[in-house]
Amino acid sequence: MLFSFGRKARFDPAYFNYFLWYIVIFEIFLANLSNYLFGSNVIIYNFFVVGCIGYYAFVYNHVLAKNQMVIPILILYIILVIFENMGISGFYKFNHISYTFGMVFIGILAMMYLKHLVDNGAHQFSQSPMFYLSFGILFFYTACFTILLLNPLIMKIDIGLSKEIYVLVKVGNIILSLSYLQIAYLNWKTEN
């Protein structure tokens, strides 16, 4: 799937192939390069998160038949990101406020999609790329909430505990990555 960069696929309206390249470039190349050059990849991940939230909002807006609230909330999210970077936390700290807001927003859209599947009597969840995307997002975001909401408090109490809880995020990231692989497999299966 990753190597069929511009080819049409069943999931093509959401530009999933391009999104996979975005992930590869940011996660593998830019984050590691930034960490090597500057000792931190926080700025890269702040931009990476904005791109992911924007992509997910675009996908759910497409799938949920142009929901009237998606674009205004996405614009509000972008404004929040700008204000958080310009004054609240700055570019060199992780944007907890905007990331949490974006996660709640996308989590609600994922749940709306799953409700849409159930309401429309969809019986073949296993053949729906959006089902896997929604499941992966919800699992990852659930794992991240512990770190995002409690990490500042936990860091003050016990840094070691913070590192142990971060394992949840790693598990959530693995589940999200597996959902991406399943989407790629379903698209490849549809193409062939």
Side-chain angles (χ1 to χ4, degrees), residues 18-64:
Y18 298 112
F19 181 65
L20 285 180
W21 278 106
Y22 174 80
I23 290 171
V24 167
I25 290 168
F26 267 83
E27 287 271 5
I28 296 173
F29 180 68
L30 292 177
N32 287 322
L33 181 65
S34 175
N35 200 31
Y36 175 75
L37 293 176
F38 308 112
S40 172
N41 55 18
V42 172
I43 295 174
I44 297 299
Y45 274 107
N46 284 341
F47 285 113
F48 177 69
V49 167
V50 171
C52 289
I53 299 291
Y55 172 76
Y56 295 147
F58 171 75
V59 168
Y60 284 113
N61 189 49
H62 176 78
V63 171
L64 294 171

Side-chain angles (χ1 to χ4, degrees), residues 11-139:
F11 203 63
D12 190 54
Y15 301 101
F16 187 70
N17 295 345
Y18 298 112
F19 181 65
L20 285 180
W21 278 106
Y22 174 80
I23 290 171
V24 167
I25 290 168
F26 267 83
E27 287 271 5
I28 296 173
F29 180 68
L30 292 177
N32 287 322
L33 181 65
S34 175
N35 200 31
Y36 175 75
L37 293 176
F38 308 112
S40 172
N41 55 18
V42 172
I43 295 174
I44 297 299
Y45 274 107
N46 284 341
F47 285 113
F48 177 69
V49 167
V50 171
C52 289
I53 299 291
Y55 172 76
Y56 295 147
F58 171 75
V59 168
Y60 284 113
N61 189 49
H62 176 78
V63 171
L64 294 171
K66 310 283 188 252
N67 185 302
Q68 297 294 320
M69 293 306 299
V70 173
I71 300 302
I73 294 174
L74 182 60
I75 292 169
L76 179 64
Y77 168 74
I78 292 169
I79 291 169
L80 179 62
V81 167
I82 292 168
F83 279 121
E84 189 170 16
N85 279 305
M86 302 288 276
I88 297 172
S89 64
F91 287 107
Y92 299 102
K93 291 186 180 179
F94 189 73
N95 296 333
H96 287 279
I97 297 167
S98 57
Y99 190 62
T100 303
F101 178 84
M103 281 184 9
V104 169
F105 170 50
I106 298 302
I108 289 170
L109 291 176
M111 288 186 276
M112 286 173 60
Y113 173 75
L114 294 174
K115 182 182 181 308
H116 169 76
L117 274 182
V118 171
D119 289 349
N120 289 327
H123 299 289
Q124 294 185 344
F125 292 145
S126 64
Q127 299 303 309
S128 169
M130 282 302 298
F131 169 76
Y132 290 103
L133 183 65
S134 298
F135 175 78
I137 287 171
L138 288 174
F139 198 97

